[in-house]
């Protein structure tokens, strides 16, 4: 049954996350300004602080669960900060999602416990991964793949213990020649030159990777399928499947700072005596109130589109279109919201004394990674028009 | 618990009404627009569907089915998909009936609800909007002055849906600093029902101006009795209903664009293969979806009396108004010259969406 109410327990579980976010905020500015260092795995005082919070009860059958709750939780977590956590939990990197989607049972058992990054983008290719130039050449004598190439923008690339990377085993085969390989950190020929310097999400360890004659065992090919399909590549699709939960989660992550920006701006407006009179017509509202409510509406639309995409996933329904809908929507929304809040607050919005300018910088990534807004529009348009990749580029 | 799941019953209602919209509404929409009227046949047919009477409790002669604001939002989307003007005419009685159901005293319910349970189409209208550049439904200039136990209503109301055939009007007026709604019979002394208004869109739908010149009504006319009622809730509910209709209209516009762009050739290929067209349609789809979920949330909140209903309805109304106009406007652009001529429905849809997006209190959930 269609319902949008949160149970008391839902609220309590989210409040627990928002409280952590409030605590984290004191460390945010320093971490952002000292981007060269990785933030600590456990923030100072985290243990003692957590003891002061009441632990919410486990969810019951009436409570919101699964992917829809993951969405709301991600918004709450990223509301505190995009990158900092009280405790950085091991958990899954993007590479782990790829491993579970495309790996054999044996491969999953062997590497599932490692934090795995995912390396697709290269200096010369981003949105069109079929142009991957990193090569994997089989050395039949030693039963090893020899990897050569360069990868950039690798999320959690510094902390990761291994990487799932895309490399081509036959450039002439185009996308069909692209395979996923697992390379553990410490493998000779696998270098990590350092952390990328970025506009936002500076505490996130985005890395560049270099592979120079890096040799890995033949069985490090995910799925172990060395054949090159004639037509469109099944292997490629296998990798693309991993995007179905990650697109909505990326949307949710961006909505966190957008919500933070709205909350901060609302506080400032209320303090300044601006009346947010919901229910009336727009003609009698102040310009600031009107602008603010418009941003709130955009936020609502985006959050609901994201909940819808994850609710579908949670109820076992296909959500390819909907994932792109929410990712594209949130990508535009968080730009409009955070930049709009800066406009409303004026000079206060750009001051590094406050966090608003940082939220604006942090969530700018939302419309770029996990498929740019343009790629999401391509996916939606193909869906609407019943077109293949070849039909609409 | 967050859920977007339709019940089986809701799916059935949606499918039935989608068929009705395609077969009974689309074919007559253009004629209604050109002729400036809606055939009685149509109103009779819709009456037989029982959209109004089934939701009236059996003690007042209705079907006694549970009223769900969310189901009604789904119904309104389908009707809006058929035609906006016809959708508003079809559900005009509901806006009035819902207000009585939600806020009326027992006596008011007993007196008014049975009117809507007979075999013949019957309507009464909300009279909320007023002329003027700073019109705000929550701050009417129409006023009610107490006179003993009675009230004297003075002012002018506009865009009163089907006002030419309404038996009663629910007139929203300032009353001693607050706002109240008053039930005024169409034949009340001092009340003048004007000629049909001329609007850019919804031309088939008759709307009228009401002039209230010292119209005296008794205490029993005040909706909710001596306590009055929360007029805000009526407006919130209507905002959800308006939005639902606009969602349906936008869905229809995009659905009409897709096959056209696949057939229309420019520079040796269908225009659908050009990103400027394809991406725009992707965004039209994206916004229609987002509008729908906002509308559902508003409907759900309104049905539950959720404390955030007014805020939710406000944000939804604002978002849907902006995006629906953008979608309808781009519908024209995608069709180019064909979007501009009246042989195609796109220009009519634009006018209709443009019109409803600035109006309030035209329908009910």
């Amino acid at each position: 049954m269609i319902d949008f109410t949160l149970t008391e327990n839902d609220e309590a579980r989210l409040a627990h996350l928002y409280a952590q976010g409030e605590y984290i905020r004191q460390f945010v500015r320093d971490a952002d300004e000292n981007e060269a260092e990785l933030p600590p795995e456990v923030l100072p005082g985290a243990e003692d602080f957590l003891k002061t919070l009441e632990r919410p009860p486990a969810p019951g059958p009436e409570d919101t669960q699964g992917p829809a709750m993951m969405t709301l939780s991600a918004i709450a977590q990223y509301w505190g900060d995009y990158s900092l956590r009280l405790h950085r939990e091991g958990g899954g990197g993007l590479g782990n999602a790829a491993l579970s989607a495309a790996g054999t049972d044996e491969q999953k058992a062997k590497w599932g416990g490692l934090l795995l990054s995912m390396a697709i983008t290269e200096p010369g290719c981003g949105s069109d991964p079929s142009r991957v130039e990193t090569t994997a050449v089989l050395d039949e004598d030693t039963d090893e793949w020899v990897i050569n190439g360069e990868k950039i923008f690798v999320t959690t690339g510094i902390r990761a213990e291994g990487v799932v990377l895309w490399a081509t085993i036959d450039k002439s085969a185009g996308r069909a020649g692209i395979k996923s390989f697992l390379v553990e950190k410490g493998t000779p020929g696998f270098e990590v030159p350092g952390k990328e310097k970025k506009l936002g999400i500076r505490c996130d360890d985005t890395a560049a990777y270099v592979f120079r004659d890096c040799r890995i065992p033949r069985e490090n090919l995910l799925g172990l399928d060395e054949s090159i399909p004639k037509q469109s590549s099944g292997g490629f699709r296998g990798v693309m499947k991993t995007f179905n939960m990650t697109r909505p989660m990326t949307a949710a992550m961006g909505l966190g700072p957008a919500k933070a920006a709205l909350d901060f701006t609302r506080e400032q407006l209320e303090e300044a005596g601006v009346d947010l009179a919901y229910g009336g017509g727009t003609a009698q509202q102040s310009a600031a109130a009107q602008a603010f409510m418009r941003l709130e509406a955009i936020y609502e639309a985006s959050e609901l589109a994201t909940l819808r995409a994850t609710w579908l996933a949670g109820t076992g329904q296909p959500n390819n279109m909907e994932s792109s809908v929410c990712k594209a929507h949130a990508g535009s929304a968080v730009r409009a919201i955070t930049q709009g809040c800066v406009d409303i607050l004026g000079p206060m919005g750009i001051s590094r004394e406050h966090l608003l300018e940082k939220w604006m910088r942090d969530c700018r990534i939302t419309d770029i990674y996990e498929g740019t807004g343009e790629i999401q529009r391509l996916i939606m348009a193909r869906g609407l028009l019943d077109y293949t990749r070849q039909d609409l580029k | 618990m967050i859920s977007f799941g339709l019940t089986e019953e809701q799916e059935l209602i949606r499918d039935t009404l989608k068929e009705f919209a395609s077969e009974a509404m689309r074919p007559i929409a253009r004629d209604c627009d050109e002729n400036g009227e809606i055939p009685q046949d149509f109103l009779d047919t819709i009456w037989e569907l029982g959209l109004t009477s089934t939701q009236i409790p059996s003690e007042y002669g209705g079907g006694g089915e549970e009223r769900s604001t969310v189901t009604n939002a789904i119904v309104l989307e389908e009707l809006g998909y058929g035609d906006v003007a016809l959708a508003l005419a079809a559900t005009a009685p509901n806006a009035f009936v819902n207000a009585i159901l939600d806020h009326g005293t027992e006596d008011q319910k007993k007196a008014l609800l049975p009117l809507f349970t007979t075999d013949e189409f019957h309507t009464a209208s909300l009279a909320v909007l007023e002329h003027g550049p700073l019109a705000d439904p929550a701050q009417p200039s129409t006023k009610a002055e107490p006179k003993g136990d009675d009230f004297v209503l003075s002012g002018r109301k506009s865009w009163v849906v089907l006002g030419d055939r309404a038996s009663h009007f629910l007139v929203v007026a300032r009353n001693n600093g607050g706002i109240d709604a008053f039930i005024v019979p169409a034949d009340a002394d001092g009340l003048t029902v004007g000629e049909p208004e001329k609007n850019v869109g919804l031309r088939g739908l008759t709307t009228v101006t009401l002039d209230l010149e010292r119209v005296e009504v008794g205490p029993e006319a005040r909706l909710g009795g001596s306590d009055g009622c929360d007029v805000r809730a009526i407006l919130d509910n209507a905002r959800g209903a308006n939005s639902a209709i606009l969602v349906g209209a936008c869905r229809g516009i995009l659905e009409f664009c897709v096959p056209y762009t696949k057939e229309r050739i420019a520079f040796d290929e269908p225009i659908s293969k050009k990103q400027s067209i394809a991406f725009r349609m992707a965004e039209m789809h994206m916004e229609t979806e987002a509008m729908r979920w906002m509308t559902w949330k508003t409907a759900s909140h309104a049905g539950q009396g959720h404390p955030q209903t007014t805020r939710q309805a406000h944000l939804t109304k604002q978002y849907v108004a902006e995006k629906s106009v953008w979608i309808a406007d781009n519908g024209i652009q995608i069709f180019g010259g064909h979007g501009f001529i009246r042989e195609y429905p796109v220009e009519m849809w634009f006018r209709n969406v443009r019109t409803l997006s600035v109006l309030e209190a035209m329908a009910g959930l």
Side-chain angles (χ1 to χ4, degrees), chain A residues 42-325:
Chain A
V42 181
L43 289 180
E47 298 297 340
D48 288 339
F49 170 72
L50 273 177
K51 280 181 205 149
T52 67
L53 293 184
E54 207 175 311
R55 254 203 115 57
E62 296 301 310
D63 297 322
T64 307
Q65 298 197 38
M69 194 58 182
M70 278 167 64
T71 302
L72 295 173
S73 302
I75 293 171
Q77 271 190 339
Y78 284 76
W79 176 89
D81 187 60
Y82 206 98
S83 319
L84 291 188
R85 297 287 168 270
L86 279 183
H87 277 270
R88 191 163 285 287
E89 286 145 25
L94 282 169
N96 294 81
L99 174 67
S100 24
T104 64
D105 287 344
E106 217 169 294
Q107 289 173 330
K108 286 183 211 171
K110 186 171 177 192
W111 296 307
L114 301 180
L115 174 63
L116 300 175
S117 57
M118 179 100 202
I120 298 172
T121 302
E122 299 181 359
C125 87
S127 291
D128 178 6
S130 65
R131 293 176 57 85
V132 160
E133 294 200 341
T134 299
T135 54
V137 178
L138 186 63
D139 182 344
E140 303 263 5
D141 297 339
T142 59
D143 260 355
E144 284 173 324
W145 295 101
V146 184
I147 314 271
N148 275 290
E150 216 177 307
K151 293 288 180 185
I152 56 172
F153 308 161
V154 184
T155 302
T156 65
I158 306 284
R159 287 183 297 115
E161 298 154 298
V163 59
V164 173
L165 71 93
W166 284 10
T168 175
I169 60 172
D170 180 0
K171 264 192 196 168
S172 66
R175 71 174 61 247
I178 296 171
K179 300 284 181 187
S180 304
F181 298 89
L182 196 136
V183 188
E184 291 181 51
K185 282 270 181 77
T187 307
F190 176 8
E191 291 158 33
V192 185
K195 236 179 120 176
E196 308 260 22
K197 292 175 183 162
K198 308 187 293 292
L199 169 71
I201 60 168
R202 291 183 177 169
C203 330
D204 267 13
D205 51 314
T206 311
Y209 288 167
V210 178
F211 300 90
R212 286 199 189 94
D213 290 330
C214 174
R215 288 175 167 269
I216 54 169
R218 191 167 185 167
E219 56 273 17
N220 281 28
L221 167 66
L222 286 197
L224 299 176
D225 180 8
E226 294 177 7
S227 66
I228 296 172
K230 285 256 160 27
Q231 291 294 312
S232 83
S233 155
F236 194 86
R237 264 200 207 121
V239 182
M240 293 304 278
K241 256 188 211 159
T242 62
F243 283 65
N244 269 340
M245 262 311 281
T246 52
R247 272 178 276 159
M249 291 319 288
T250 306
M253 286 152 57
L255 288 172
K259 188 181 170 85
L262 287 172
D263 289 348
F264 177 73
T265 306
R266 186 186 301 107
E267 262 171 44
Q268 298 302 323
L269 288 178
E270 279 171 359
E271 216 165 282
V274 175
D275 182 25
L276 298 173
Y278 301 102
T282 50
Q284 318 218 1
Q285 308 265 15
S286 72
Q290 267 193 50
F292 180 75
M293 287 170 168
R294 182 169 178 274
L295 300 179
E296 278 190 297
I298 296 173
Y299 176 86
E300 275 289 323
S302 220
E303 185 186 283
L304 285 165
T306 309
L307 280 169
R308 156 86 177 163
T310 46
W311 174 82
L312 283 173
T315 48
Q317 300 176 71
N319 72 345
N320 191 45
M321 271 289 266
E322 291 77 6
S323 296
S324 285
V325 165

